Amino acid sequence: MLHQVRRAAQPVVMQAFSARALIACRLSAPRCSPAVPCSSRNAFCSIAGNDDAKLDELREKIAEAHAQIEELIEKRVQCKKDSKQAAKRHTADLENESKYGVTKFARAMLQIPDNLERAAGSVKEEDLANDPELRKLKDGVVKMQKIVEDALKQFGVTEMKCEGAVFDPQHHEAMFAMEMPGKEPNTIFHVMEPGYMIHDRNLRAAKVGVVRG
């Protein structure tokens, strides 16, 4: 009886062992990835190439943008410099205008002190001593000379002090020259017409006589 049972179970056991062996072989065998078709590989390469081209184009645009930024920075710096220079020039122009804007008018007004000086110098001392009215007139002229002098000073116009100074062609005009014993050559010993300055500029050259060397 036992022998018959064993014989009957033997095919079932063998079938079970065969199934287990087959499963074990499948598990231990290396798995192979499915082959990629050529059309898929070509498509991938094409996409990669397009991406590289776009990346290069983007790099070029970035470099161009950086160059434009640098150019704008340089222009901004230059504009600041130009603005500062323009402001300095404007300030200098305003200063010059305020100082020297009346140059022509002041030069024309010099005939007033010239005429007053001639009037005061035309009167002799002996005539003044004998004529009270003449002394009064001269005193009025002297007072007017002082008023005109102060008015001109308000605009930076001052008379040059020439007598005894060294001749300077920038400020003096030599009308004649002669030898003067005891005086240094090239010095001024006589003023025919006084010169004037307006601030630090020559308004009118003085007409002078110079010691000949």
Side-chain angles (χ1 to χ4, degrees):
M1 183 68 178
L2 182 58
H3 181 67
Q4 291 177 351
V5 171
R6 285 179 177 175
R7 289 181 64 184
Q10 189 174 0
V12 176
V13 173
M14 293 297 293
Q15 187 175 4
F17 274 109
S18 298
R20 290 181 64 185
L22 180 60
I23 293 171
C25 288
R26 289 180 177 175
L27 291 174
S28 61
R31 296 184 178 181
C32 297
S33 300
V36 178
C38 290
S39 59
S40 299
R41 286 200 301 269
N42 292 336
F44 177 77
C45 292
S46 178
I47 293 172
N50 291 335
D51 290 342
D52 290 341
K54 290 181 179 179
L55 187 59
D56 291 340
E57 183 180 356
L58 184 60
R59 288 196 184 102
E60 290 179 0
K61 289 182 178 180
I62 291 173
E64 184 179 353
H66 278 299
Q68 291 177 353
I69 290 171
E70 291 295 330
E71 184 180 357
L72 289 174
I73 291 174
E74 291 178 1
K75 287 183 178 180
R76 180 172 176 267
V77 173
Q78 188 62 40
C79 285
K80 282 188 175 181
K81 290 181 180 179
D82 293 342
S83 297
K84 289 182 179 179
Q85 291 296 328
K88 288 181 180 180
R89 286 195 299 269
H90 181 64
T91 302
D93 290 342
L94 288 177
E95 184 178 355
N96 289 335
E97 182 64 25
S98 62
K99 280 185 175 181
Y100 309 111
V102 296
T103 297
K104 291 183 179 181
F105 177 75
R107 188 178 293 116
M109 292 296 293
L110 293 180
Q111 59 184 328
I112 296 176
D114 289 343
N115 290 331
L116 290 174
E117 180 65 26
R118 293 188 189 100
S122 64
V123 182
K124 297 179 180 180
E125 291 297 329
E126 56 268 23
D127 293 337
L128 292 174
N130 299 323
D131 193 340
E133 289 296 327
L134 190 59
R135 286 199 304 270
K136 186 176 180 180
L137 288 174
K138 184 177 179 180
D139 291 341
V141 171
V142 172
K143 288 180 181 179
M144 183 59 65
Q145 283 180 301
K146 179 62 175 174
I147 293 172
V148 172
E149 180 183 357
D150 292 341
L152 291 174
K153 282 182 179 179
Q154 292 180 5
F155 296 94
V157 179
T158 55
E159 183 179 343
M160 297 180 191
K161 304 303 179 183
C162 300
E163 192 163 351
V166 177
F167 177 77
D168 182 357
Q170 297 294 327
H171 301 296
H172 309 137
E173 182 181 354
M175 304 305 294
F176 62 93
M178 60 184 297
E179 294 181 359
M180 295 289 293
K183 292 185 179 294
E184 291 293 329
N186 205 38
T187 56
I188 297 170
F189 71 92
H190 178 71
V191 179
M192 295 181 62
E193 184 178 79
Y196 286 85
M197 299 287 293
I198 179 167
H199 298 287
D200 56 347
R201 293 183 183 179
N202 186 25
L203 180 62
R204 187 182 73 182
K207 295 180 180 180
V208 298
V210 183
V211 178
R212 180 178 296 165

